[in-house]
Amino acid sequence: MRITVLSGGVGGARFTRGLLALLRDRLSDGAGGTTAQVTVVANTGDDLWLHGVRVCPDLDTLMYTLGGAVHEEQGWGRRDESRRVSDDLAAYGLGWEWFTLGDLDLATHLARTELLLSGVPLSSVTARLAERWKPGVTLLPMTDSEVETSVETVDGRTMHFEEWWVLHRAAIPARAFHQNDVTVAEPAPGVLDALADADVVVVPPSNPVVSVGTILGVPGIRDALRATPAPVVGISPVIGGAPVRGMADACLTAIGVETAADAVARHYGRRADGGVLDAWLVDDADAAVVEPLRSEGWRVESAPTLMTDVPATAAIAARALALVDRAP
Ligand code: GDP
Ligand code: CA
């Protein structure tokens, strides 16, 4: 069984961790792993150069979460982290001191940067870093080129996505998101095959705009998703009219989409109508949208979708796969 996941950072990583737990249970390889093959295509629009190193927030969140090294409460970064280097850099007044690089995290960025500067493409660098963390999935960046997301605010400024998200906490109303240099970008090696050859594709509860939307913006990926013979199932990142964590509502508002489980489904669209999904799992809190969506042709159900712990998340993954007849 081959499963491909299009992921942002915390939401996608937590979902994938639950999915892997489900697969290890249902499709065990007898050695603590699974016979299923999971490929995660990660958003790299949040990436940035900072203090001379290349930071890839969503790839790292995936790697640390699936590799058992994540700071659990925070959802990103390393556990048992310290910030001596970052504090000392701030004393020079250099860089973006609001974007903290932990000391252990910095080692990841230094290793990545060394390899990138020696000419190794990001996809190969990612595979190399993953050899250490053994995430249990094939981890792919959406593209090997630098396609950073910038935000155009209603007051006419343009800034890097991370400046808007982390420094301003998405509090400055945004007008648009841009993917710099995306027109010349290509999907990273393995991405299109992972979509074409999958038995099922999952859009996890990730940010529909600046995580999944960014991945779909890389030329060729949306078409590959539309063309795959595999069913495509999504899980709503909005529960009861609010993003569970973070400020995804600010992103949805900026592109004119209501922060509601049914509005996000319609934003993605059904493949039968030119969109990218075949089925949509919403939270029980949004059970009222099930019938209206069904009457529009959606395959949709409600379930508990709070990723409170790994077993609860495994159950969400099971429901999502069952919704497209791919229960493992
Ligand atoms: P980021 O890159 O770290 O922002 O992470 P993602 O893009 O992968 O996912 C962030 C989104 O996940 C948030 O905007 C929430 O809407 C969603 N999310 C987070 N936790 C949960 C949860 O427990 N259940 C559901 N359904 N969605 C969640
Ligand atoms: Ca992210």
Side-chain angles (χ1 to χ4, degrees):
M1 174 136 164
R2 286 161 301 188
I3 304 177
T4 299
V5 181
L6 304 183
S7 177
V10 179
R14 287 200 170 157
F15 175 82
T16 305
R17 185 170 59 176
L19 172 67
L20 280 175
L22 173 79
L23 296 170
R24 286 177 183 132
D25 182 44
R26 303 270 179 90
L27 298 173
S28 169
D29 64 0
T34 171
T35 57
Q37 294 171 24
V38 180
T39 301
V40 178
V41 178
N43 168 45
T44 55
D46 302 3
D47 296 9
L48 67 164
W49 285 99
L50 190 58
H51 301 299
V53 295
R54 189 67 176 162
V55 182
C56 301
D58 290 358
L59 279 171
D60 289 345
T61 297
L62 281 156
M63 194 166 72
Y64 296 154
T65 302
L66 301 177
V70 78
H71 187 299
E72 193 63 41
E73 296 72 40
Q74 195 170 255
W76 50 271
R78 297 275 300 273
R79 79 157 82 93
D80 301 325
E81 183 61 289
S82 53
R83 296 181 169 174
R84 298 191 66 198
V85 174
S86 168
D87 287 349
D88 220 56
L89 276 168
Y92 289 106
L94 283 173
W96 294 353
E97 58 267 32
W98 44 265
F99 194 94
T100 313
L101 297 182
D103 297 331
L104 298 175
D105 199 26
L106 196 51
T108 301
H109 310 317
L110 285 168
R112 170 186 295 124
T113 304
E114 176 179 344
L115 293 166
L116 285 173
L117 294 183
S118 72
V120 181
L122 181 62
S123 50
S124 304
V125 173
T126 302
R128 173 77 192 276
L129 300 182
E131 278 172 25
R132 172 181 174 195
W133 295 107
K134 304 195 177 7
V137 303
T138 301
L139 188 54
L140 300 176
M142 63 188 196
T143 177
D144 274 336
S145 30
E146 293 181 10
V147 179
E148 297 183 3
T149 303
S150 62
V151 184
E152 193 186 323
T153 60
V154 292
D155 57 14
R157 283 179 282 169
T158 298
M159 62 187 79
H160 191 283
F161 170 73
E162 292 291 356
E163 185 178 355
W164 180 72
W165 187 256
V166 180
L167 177 61
H168 298 293
R169 307 294 303 160
I172 308 174
R175 179 155 58 199
F177 299 93
H178 301 288
Q179 295 182 268
N180 303 324
D181 302 316
V182 74
T183 51
V184 292
E186 292 174 8
V191 170
L192 296 182
D193 287 345
L195 291 169
D197 300 339
D199 294 305
V200 57
V201 178
V202 184
V203 175
S206 282
N207 189 310
V209 186
V210 293
S211 292
V212 181
T214 309
I215 299 171
L216 296 177
V218 175
I221 294 188
R222 180 183 290 271
D223 288 345
L225 192 57
R226 291 199 28 74
T228 181
V232 185
V233 57
I235 297 101
S236 177
V238 171
I239 299 181
V244 185
R245 41 161 48 225
M247 298 84 68
D249 48 330
C251 304
L252 287 164
T253 302
I255 62 161
V257 175
E258 190 192 343
T259 303
D262 54 340
V264 175
R266 292 187 189 105
H267 167 65
Y268 280 130
R270 292 170 65 225
R271 288 205 295 177
D273 300 330
V276 293
L277 295 179
D278 299 315
W280 188 235
L281 189 68
V282 302
D283 193 82
D284 282 335
D286 297 304
V289 308
V290 168
E291 278 312 321
L293 285 175
R294 276 189 190 148
S295 69
E296 293 168 27
W298 282 89
R299 194 187 277 211
V300 56
E301 277 178 10
S302 77
T305 69
L306 260 184
M307 299 187 285
T308 43
D309 56 20
V310 174
T313 310
I316 299 169
R319 287 294 294 268
L321 296 181
L323 190 52
V324 286
D325 306 318
R326 292 293 185 278

